[in-house]
Amino acid sequence: MNRYEAILVGISIMVVCLYHLHLYIKVKRSPETTAVGMTNLMRQQWVETIMAERRDILAVQTLRNHVMASSLLASTAILIALGIVNTVLRPAGFQEISHALNIVGTRSETLWVAKLMLLAVDFFLGFFNFTLAIRYFNHAGFGLGLPDQHVGVASHEFVVEVVNHASLHYTIGMRCYYLAIPLGLWIFGPTWMLAGALILVPVLYRLDRTV
């Protein structure tokens, strides 16, 4: 990796990391101004309403939708990751195309393989988080279905924590998909990666804000 590519890659990583550090601080200090914080509060009220009013059908339908979405995204992530690994093993003409578009970056086969493996790891991480989301959503279904006399076993706070854990892993899984944009563009050169990062961050900022 030459110095020019290292600088552009470093800037891209710094932009994405600084944004998520900013988001983390905002969620902790002013959750009502972020989509993550607001949905956490809404899930808390939703769980309390479901358990108090015994709206079991609504709970089942909502959790089923989340499990189905997580299953689809987990399956897609693992298929993409395995496809990338297969590309590493059998590069064919894809390597030539990526090198042709790589204007200022290093055209090294070793670095090219490292880029693909990093992208594969990103999708494997997404798969892992979506499967954890499915696990927590299934656990939440049992807690939401308990009658009031079992409140000591699964209190409102415990069920809220389980649902929020599921949603956190779902969110991380989606972030892995988003992160795949600059990582995927890096295959074609560091300038493409920087452009992807600079476009991605404003889009995420718009999606993550409530005000």
Side-chain angles (χ1 to χ4, degrees):
M1 183 186 298
N2 59 41
R3 186 174 65 177
Y4 188 77
E5 181 166 8
I7 292 174
L8 293 181
V9 171
I11 293 174
S12 303
I13 295 174
M14 183 180 65
V15 167
V16 175
C17 290
L18 286 177
Y19 168 73
H20 282 91
L21 177 62
H22 165 76
L23 177 62
Y24 176 80
I25 294 174
K26 292 295 290 184
V27 170
K28 289 296 183 181
R29 296 181 178 178
S30 306
E32 68 282 354
T33 63
T34 65
V36 175
M38 283 298 295
T39 51
N40 285 340
L41 296 174
M42 286 190 295
R43 280 189 293 270
Q44 177 180 351
Q45 296 176 5
W46 179 79
V47 168
E48 292 174 353
T49 301
I50 292 294
M51 297 185 72
E53 301 180 5
R54 309 307 309 158
R55 303 177 67 178
D56 299 331
I57 295 179
L58 176 60
V60 170
Q61 291 177 337
T62 303
L63 293 179
R64 180 194 61 186
N65 292 339
H66 281 80
V67 169
M68 290 176 62
S70 300
S71 300
L72 175 62
L73 292 168
S75 302
T76 304
I78 193 66
L79 287 174
I80 294 176
L82 294 176
I84 294 172
V85 172
N86 183 66
T87 302
V88 172
L89 298 177
R90 300 178 180 179
F94 182 69
Q95 185 176 1
E96 297 179 3
I97 297 174
S98 64
H99 285 173
L101 295 174
N102 190 354
I103 301 173
V104 298
T106 304
R107 298 181 182 181
S108 166
E109 183 176 353
T110 302
L111 181 59
W112 183 81
V113 171
K115 293 175 184 178
L116 285 178
M117 291 307 300
L118 185 61
L119 184 60
V121 169
D122 176 61
F123 279 107
F124 278 126
L125 183 61
F127 167 78
F128 179 70
N129 276 282
F130 282 123
T131 54
L132 284 178
I134 295 171
R135 175 179 181 269
Y136 280 113
F137 281 129
N138 286 330
H139 290 342
F142 289 103
L144 289 169
L146 289 176
D148 293 338
Q149 57 264 32
H150 290 89
V151 70
V153 178
S155 63
H156 293 172
E157 292 77 11
F158 176 77
V159 178
V160 169
E161 183 177 355
V162 172
V163 174
N164 281 338
H165 268 103
S167 298
L168 174 62
H169 285 292
Y170 186 94
T171 300
I172 295 175
M174 288 303 304
R175 297 286 156 162
C176 290
Y177 270 87
Y178 302 149
L179 184 60
I181 296 174
L183 289 179
L185 290 174
W186 187 22
I187 297 173
F188 303 102
T191 53
W192 295 94
M193 181 184 188
L194 180 60
L198 294 178
I199 293 174
L200 177 63
V201 168
V203 172
L204 290 179
Y205 180 82
R206 180 66 182 87
L207 294 175
D208 290 331
R209 299 286 293 181
T210 58
V211 293

